[in-house]
Amino acid sequence: MAAAACTGMGLPSDGAFRSAEGLFGSPSSEGPFYVVDIQCPPARPTNCTFTTATPPGTCTHENDVGVFCPVAEGTPTLCTTGDIRLAGTFRPQQGRVEICINNQWGTICDDSWNQHSVNFVCTSLYDQSIVGEMVDPEEFSGGEDLPILMDDVKCRGTESNLLSCPQLQLNASHDCTHMEDVAISCNGTRRCRDGEIMLAGGQYESEGTIQICIDDVWGTVCDDLWDQTDAGVVCNVLGYTNGSAIALRGAHFGEGTGPIHLDNVICTGSENSLLDCRYSPHNCGHYEDAGVICPAPQDADTNCTNGEVRLADGDNEYQGRVEVCLHGNWGTVCDDRWDNRDARVVCNQLGYTGGVPFSVTRAGFGRGSGLIFLDNVDCDGTEPNLLQCRGNEPGNHNCGPSEDAGVYCP
């Protein structure tokens, strides 16, 4: 029936599934039942038989059925409705349970959560016959930045998808906080397919240390030769395509676990998988694990807006170390080629336009503690935004915090 409904709406039917009864509510609690007792033969999913009925009858609006349809081909996706994952830690087989609904990852409230639900997640992600248990969600980071997408989940153990379990509510219907996020521990080995990538340890789902699957085993990537082009392939594979990726080295988001699968990765940027790039066996330790910051979706809840600038550690609001926002993160600017024209763009952007700005080099306002985003900045002084000036690609630098740039604004 789900396949027939999706086909009738012009959407793909492969992978369609029915929702729990009454999941999406009813357009009218007093309205008629148009179709009941639907039977759709698998060989001809659009050739269905049914009967019609109106209340009172054998059904109530609590039995209203819904469907989840796959997105149309060509639609950008970060995840597929019904996908589940464990997040917030490098520890194998443990984490906060997250589910994808309508191209968005979110958490699940633990109201009514039962052992059938735990086992469903564990057997979906790991080897069969897995025993799982609930654990404390406070052990796993990052859930507070996601919406709570499900509540009152109570599986019976026969469902083919977590969204088919009864007694669930979506989105704003919940009455929970992130202190009630479901987190579980499973026994077994995480199933994955060669080339599959996930990010771990970041503040947002669009950043983190790279984990890649080879021969059914999750491992990391060494940062030797790791650059923006390689990071771009990772972000494209994950569905983040609306901006430039930033390559990070030195296990910036934390050291991964398991084998180090790839080293000396060299991509052209057109590859559909990191395994399509050139690479070699490693001679690294996990302290060299590679990471990325991918361009977050436009509606992502982040700390700042791309291109936003601020001044830090000055004696007043008109002076300080220059910090710029990229993909929800604050970073600094290297002082290579930094001059008064560059300073003018920053001051103008902050609204300080009454006089002559001055550039400051050699971490004159102290060293920053975050990422260095920009290097060799070369503005003509008229640009409305520092990111519109000439310079290296974001994240591509050869500097240290002792070279952080600053300004005095008029």
Side-chain angles (χ1 to χ4, degrees):
M1 185 197 72
C6 294
T7 299
M9 292 184 289
L11 296 171
S13 60
D14 186 21
F17 60 93
R18 60 168 288 173
S19 73
E21 294 175 354
L23 171 61
F24 299 110
S26 174
S28 172
S29 61
E30 303 297 331
F33 295 108
Y34 294 106
V35 180
V36 297
D37 296 329
I38 305 171
Q39 301 293 326
C40 300
R44 301 182 65 186
T46 59
N47 190 21
C48 302
T49 61
F50 56 88
T51 59
T52 59
T54 57
T58 58
C59 292
T60 69
H61 279 291
E62 292 180 353
N63 302 117
D64 285 347
V65 69
V67 296
F68 290 95
C69 300
V71 297
E73 184 176 353
T75 303
T77 59
L78 299 180
C79 56
T80 301
T81 293
D83 285 352
I84 50 179
R85 66 184 184 186
L86 300 185
T89 179
F90 279 116
R91 282 173 286 177
Q93 298 91 44
Q94 296 184 39
R96 180 183 58 256
V97 180
E98 296 180 359
I99 187 164
C100 176
I101 298 177
N102 296 331
N103 205 27
Q104 181 179 42
W105 286 106
T107 64
I108 300 173
C109 182
D110 64 9
D111 293 347
S112 299
W113 186 261
N114 60 16
Q115 190 61 42
H116 286 310
S117 306
V118 174
N119 291 345
F120 179 89
V121 174
C122 290
T123 55
S124 297
L125 296 175
Y126 301 93
D127 295 334
Q128 297 298 319
S129 302
I130 297 303
V131 177
E133 61 182 359
M134 296 277 289
V135 293
D136 186 354
E138 291 189 6
E139 298 182 25
F140 309 105
S141 63
E144 65 276 3
D145 298 310
L146 299 175
I148 299 172
L149 293 182
M150 296 176 66
D151 188 13
D152 294 325
V153 181
K154 190 175 183 180
C155 297
R156 293 165 293 200
T158 60
E159 295 83 5
S160 61
N161 190 291
L162 200 61
L163 291 173
S164 299
C165 296
Q167 300 182 34
L168 62 85
Q169 302 171 14
L170 297 183
N171 301 325
S173 299
H174 71 83
D175 58 354
C176 306
T177 70
H178 283 294
M179 295 290 289
E180 301 170 84
D181 284 345
V182 169
I184 65 174
S185 176
C186 302
N187 296 315
T189 304
R190 168 73 158 89
R191 290 199 296 261
C192 59
R193 62 183 183 276
D194 278 4
E196 185 179 353
I197 288 174
M198 63 180 179
L199 305 180
Q203 182 178 1
Y204 308 108
E205 63 179 35
S206 55
E207 64 185 28
T209 298
I210 298 163
Q211 298 263 279
I212 186 170
C213 177
I214 296 180
D215 295 332
D216 300 324
V217 177
W218 287 103
T220 62
V221 178
C222 184
D223 64 9
D224 295 341
L225 303 182
W226 186 250
D227 62 18
Q228 185 179 13
T229 302
D230 310 324
V233 171
V234 170
C235 294
N236 287 338
V237 168
L238 293 172
Y240 302 107
T241 59
N242 61 330
S244 298
I246 297 173
L248 295 173
R249 305 175 182 86
H252 176 83
F253 294 106
E255 296 184 9
T257 59
I260 299 174
H261 281 319
L262 307 180
D263 190 14
N264 297 314
V265 176
I266 301 177
C267 303
T268 65
S270 61
E271 294 85 356
N272 295 318
S273 168
L274 207 58
L275 298 183
D276 294 335
C277 303
R278 286 186 290 163
Y279 58 87
S280 63
H282 78 88
N283 59 353
C284 309
H286 279 300
Y287 61 90
E288 299 171 87
D289 282 343
V292 297
I293 297 177
C294 297
Q298 297 297 330
D299 59 351
D301 182 16
T302 56
N303 290 327
C304 53
T305 304
N306 267 4
E308 185 180 350
V309 293
R310 68 183 183 186
L311 303 182
D313 294 337
D315 292 335
N316 56 54
E317 62 183 308
Y318 305 103
Q319 59 183 251
R321 181 178 60 255
V322 177
E323 297 185 349
V324 62
C325 175
L326 278 174
H327 308 329
N329 294 267
W330 287 104
T332 60
V333 179
C334 182
D335 64 9
D336 295 344
R337 306 188 70 173
W338 188 252
D339 60 22
N340 290 349
R341 292 175 300 178
D342 309 320
R344 179 177 296 280
V345 171
V346 172
C347 294
N348 286 346
Q349 194 172 338
L350 291 171
Y352 306 134
T353 59
V356 179
F358 293 96
S359 60
V360 177
T361 59
R362 297 182 180 275
F365 293 102
R367 302 182 179 192
S369 58
L371 303 167
I372 298 174
F373 277 150
L374 303 181
D375 189 16
N376 291 313
V377 176
D378 184 19
C379 306
D380 61 27
T382 63
E383 294 86 352
N385 188 293
L386 195 64
L387 294 184
Q388 297 183 17
C389 299
R390 294 181 297 273
N392 292 3
E393 291 289 344
N396 182 12
H397 69 85
N398 60 353
C399 307
S402 62
E403 300 170 85
D404 283 344
V407 296
Y408 286 101
C409 292

